[in-house]
Amino acid sequence: MNDETLPPCPECSGTYTYEMGALLVCPECGHEWTPSAASDAGDAGESGVIRDAVGNALSDGDDVTVVKTLKVKGHPTGIKAGTKVRNIRLVSGVAGHDIDCKIEGFGAMQLKSSVVKKA
């Protein structure tokens, strides 16, 4: 993709999006998303299907793996890429956090489906 074809941020409608690896990033609000998630956003809302970072459909009770290191407020190391999360529950959370889960060593938290892949 070149800069002229990048979509605006789905969170704040900012026009200064840029690519960082496989993700699109908004420098104005810090939102990250996959290009396919931007085009599938209307489909996901209509059908209710939540997809992981590589496009697999997720459902309650699935096991997933975190695909990138995540910072956790109040924890020095955060959640490392490759961490397995068992028995997820899909929710309509705040700010795009659509997975409710318990992570060993961290406790209960919500994750975005764009940072996990189905195990």
Side-chain angles (χ1 to χ4, degrees), residues 82-96:
T83 301
K84 293 191 180 194
V85 181
R86 301 188 190 286
N87 198 19
I88 65 169
R89 189 167 53 105
L90 301 178
V91 296
S92 58
V94 179

Side-chain angles (χ1 to χ4, degrees), residues 43-102:
D43 298 339
E46 293 171 14
S47 65
V49 175
I50 296 176
R51 299 193 179 276
D52 66 3
V54 293
N56 298 322
L58 296 172
S59 61
D60 286 343
D62 282 346
D63 295 341
V64 295
T65 304
V66 177
V67 296
K68 71 178 216 173
T69 301
L70 305 171
K71 294 180 183 178
V72 177
K73 199 179 279 187
H75 199 277
T77 59
I79 300 170
K80 295 185 179 189
T83 301
K84 293 191 180 194
V85 181
R86 301 188 190 286
N87 198 19
I88 65 169
R89 189 167 53 105
L90 301 178
V91 296
S92 58
V94 179
H97 294 81
D98 46 13
I99 297 175
D100 197 18
C101 61
K102 288 183 182 175

